[in-house]
């Protein structure tokens, strides 16, 4: 009776149930298939109906009757119906409190499906801040201020002028590639000669910095910076030569590439421009194309805020390295030569600050710096990373965390191998091999040590790809692969490489002295 009264807002509280039912049927336009109680229960199964929604429903029924009631009367009746329903309908003891099958919010079937966990995320942030604040205070009280003033700009780094000059002369290699492409455009040199010249230019752009670093007793930070810059130049020049080679082939055969957006269509004529090359060398991408999506303007205030954030997180990264990582590493033994339990303890102790530094590095470079550069150049495509933290397999992680390199690998290495008949598994192995070589160059060359630790660490990802893919196919939508990735990434992988390279570097310094 009470349920009916809330649905038919104009009905009296006391009355015959059958008469009221007929009134409802008239107002519903002859919908006699469901009683008022059944109608409310169906609404409840479809979704939680509020008192206001029920009141609006009753007012719309009255409007459909065409009884000539004025707007003021309908408004009052709607408000009265809402107040009446809140008291006499929603809180009646006879109204069912359990009307559908539901899972708990933290159950395995519900936790990753349309469920907000912002409160738990905030709790984790509060706990992390509290715990790490205590550790920082305890560390400062116990060891004092360990940060050196010459961490970022030491006298040794400033005297590394051969590396600085090498960094400046790397700009000559894009100019050389442009000259080769210009000659190819005017058909002054044949295609095989163009390919050979590009191979010489790209190889020299990578070997020249390696030679300079190995000949100089430079600081580690300066060597890493130069090697990263050299690797970026190499990747860009390979993309520039490969893309122009394909554009020439398309221009000769007059083929059209279907399925591309209009902004990337091949309808424009093949043309070599120094302005396009200069923009490409500065743009936050490794894949060359004659035109890119552009934003309409530069947000100067946004750029300033991001720069301030970049400075703060860079300082935080330096603080963690000097205050925590360096003392831990200096007080450790070689993980492959000392006591096993002691080595495990050092790795576990190093894993947390090392993870913080890596996350700060990722945020500073992939989010802040690349977005700042894109904003200054009005570069539109800013998908520099995806949700790699949700990766269920190691293979998925490598496809999500570094999108510029991933797009380069797909465009200039993986699919060219597939088109030339290379099996997919072998093409994937080649991609990991190239990635492992560049990781080894960026770390081993500045350290003047070639123990292949970084190379082995990257190549060990191949069996992990197979294992996590197998687990994902076996358990279907499980997070086992994600847990394995985080375990290898945080505990076993990077901290172990840091300890190995540090002790090998110290051994080299002792032998040199």
């Amino acid at each position: 009776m009470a349920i009916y009264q809330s649905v038919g807002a104009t009905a009296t509280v006391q009355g015959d149930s059958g008469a009221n039912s007929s009134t409802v049927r008239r107002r519903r336009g002859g919908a006699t298939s469901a009683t008022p109680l059944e109608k409310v229960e169906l609404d409840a199964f479809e979704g939680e109906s509020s008192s206001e929604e029920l009141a609006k429903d009753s007012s719309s029924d009255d409007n459909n009757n065409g009884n000539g009631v004025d707007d003021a009367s309908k408004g009052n009746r709607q408000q009265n119906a809402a107040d009446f329903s809140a008291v006499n309908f929603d809180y009646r003891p006879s109204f069912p409190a359990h009307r559908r099958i539901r899972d708990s919010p933290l159950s395995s079937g519900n936790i990753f499906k349309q469920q907000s966990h912002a409160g738990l995320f905030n709790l984790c942030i509060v706990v992390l801040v509290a715990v790490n604040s205590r550790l920082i205070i305890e560390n400062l009280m116990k060891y004092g201020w360990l940060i050196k003033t010459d961490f970022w700009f030491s006298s040794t780094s400033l005297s590394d002028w051969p590396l600085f000059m090498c960094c400046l002369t790397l700009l000559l290699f894009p100019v050389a590639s442009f000259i080769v492409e210009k000659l190819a455009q005017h058909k002054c040199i044949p295609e095989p000669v163009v390919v050979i010249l590009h191979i010489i230019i790209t190889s020299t752009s990578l070997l020249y910095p390696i030679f300079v670093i190995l000949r100089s007793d430079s600081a580690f930070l300066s060597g890493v910076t130069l090697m990263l810059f050299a690797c970026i130049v190499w990747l860009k020049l390979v993309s520039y030569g490969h893309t122009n080679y394909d554009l020439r082939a398309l221009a000769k055969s007059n083929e059209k590439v279907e399925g591309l957006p209009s902004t990337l269509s091949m309808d424009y004529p093949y043309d070599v421009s120094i302005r396009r090359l200069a923009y490409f060398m500065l743009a936050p991408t490794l894949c060359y194309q004659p035109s890119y999506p552009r934003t309409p303007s530069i947000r100067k205030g946004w750029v300033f805020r991001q720069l301030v954030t970049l400075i703060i997180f860079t300082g935080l990264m330096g603080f963690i390295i000097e205050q925590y990582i360096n003392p831990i590493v200096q007080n450790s033994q070689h993980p492959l030569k000392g006591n096993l339990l002691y080595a495990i303890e050092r790795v576990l102790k190093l894993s947390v600050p090392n993870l913080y530094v890596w996350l700060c590095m990722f945020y500073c470079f992939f989010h802040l710096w690349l977005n700042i550069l894109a904003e200054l150049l009005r570069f539109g495509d800013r998908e520099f990373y995806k949700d790699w933290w949700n990766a269920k397999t190691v293979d998925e992680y490598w496809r999500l965390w570094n999108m510029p390199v991933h797009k380069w690998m797909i465009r200039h290495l993986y699919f060219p191998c597939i088109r030339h008949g290379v099996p997919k598994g072998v093409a994937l192995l080649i991609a990991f091999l190239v990635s492992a070589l560049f990781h080894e160059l960026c770390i081993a060359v500045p350290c003047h040590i070639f123990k292949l630790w970084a190379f082995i660490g990257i190549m060990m990802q191949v069996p992990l790809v197979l294992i996590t893919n197998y687990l994902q196919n076996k358990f279907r939508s499980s997070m086992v692969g994600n847990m394995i990735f985080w375990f290898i990434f945080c505990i076993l992988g990077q901290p172990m490489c840091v300890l190995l390279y540090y002790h090998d570097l110290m051994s080299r310094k002792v032998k040199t002295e």
Side-chain angles (χ1 to χ4, degrees), residues 5 30 62 118 207 226 247-248 281 397 406 408 455 469 493:
Q5 290 164 357
D62 290 337
L207 295 176
L226 177 58
L247 287 175
R248 284 195 300 273
M281 296 304 296
Y397 161 73
H406 172 69
W408 188 95
F455 180 86
N469 285 339

Side-chain angles (χ1 to χ4, degrees), residues 293-355:
R294 305 287 294 275
T295 55
S297 61
I298 300 175
R299 299 170 292 176
K300 297 179 181 178
W302 182 89
V303 171
F304 176 76
R305 291 192 298 271
Q306 299 303 307
L307 281 173
V308 172
T309 307
L310 178 62
I311 294 172
I312 292 174
F313 273 88
T314 304
L316 177 63
M317 187 164 49
F319 173 79
I320 296 174
I321 291 174
E322 284 292 296
Q323 194 72 26
Y324 292 95
I325 293 182
N326 281 352
I328 294 174
V329 173
Q330 292 171 3
N331 295 328
S332 65
Q333 298 177 354
H334 197 287
L336 300 181
K337 298 179 181 178
N339 182 272
L340 179 60
L341 291 179
Y342 182 80
I344 294 175
E345 187 271 337
R346 290 288 97 179
V347 169
L348 292 175
K349 191 171 183 178
L350 186 62
S351 62
V352 175
N354 184 82
L355 175 62

Side-chain angles (χ1 to χ4, degrees), residues 243-311:
T243 302
N244 281 316
Y245 174 85
D246 192 46
L247 287 175
R248 284 195 300 273
L250 290 173
K252 291 177 181 178
S253 59
N254 293 323
E255 294 179 357
K256 298 291 183 179
V257 178
E258 299 179 356
L260 290 178
S262 59
T263 55
L264 302 180
S265 65
M266 300 303 175
D267 293 335
Y268 48 76
Y270 164 64
D271 185 28
V272 179
S273 170
I274 189 65
R275 180 180 59 85
R276 292 174 178 172
L277 176 59
Y279 183 86
F280 167 61
M281 296 304 296
L282 294 175
T285 179
L286 299 175
C287 296
Y288 172 76
Q289 59 192 54
S291 63
Y292 295 94
R294 305 287 294 275
T295 55
S297 61
I298 300 175
R299 299 170 292 176
K300 297 179 181 178
W302 182 89
V303 171
F304 176 76
R305 291 192 298 271
Q306 299 303 307
L307 281 173
V308 172
T309 307
L310 178 62
I311 294 172

Side-chain angles (χ1 to χ4, degrees), residues 21-92:
S21 299
S22 63
T23 303
V24 172
R25 283 194 289 269
R26 280 199 308 273
R27 291 179 177 176
R28 294 295 181 185
T32 59
S33 59
T35 65
L37 178 58
E38 292 170 345
K39 178 66 172 65
V40 173
E41 289 176 344
L42 288 174
D43 290 342
F45 276 104
E46 293 174 359
E48 297 293 341
S49 299
S50 63
S51 303
E52 290 78 4
E53 291 173 343
L54 293 172
K56 291 178 181 178
D57 180 53
S58 64
S59 65
S60 63
D61 292 339
D62 290 337
N63 188 39
N64 292 333
N65 278 335
N67 292 329
V69 182
D70 56 18
D71 294 340
S73 299
K74 287 189 290 186
N76 293 334
R77 187 165 62 252
Q78 180 177 348
Q79 182 63 36
N80 293 335
D83 297 338
F84 179 79
S85 176
V87 176
N88 293 277
F89 175 66
D90 289 347
Y91 305 107
R92 292 285 300 210

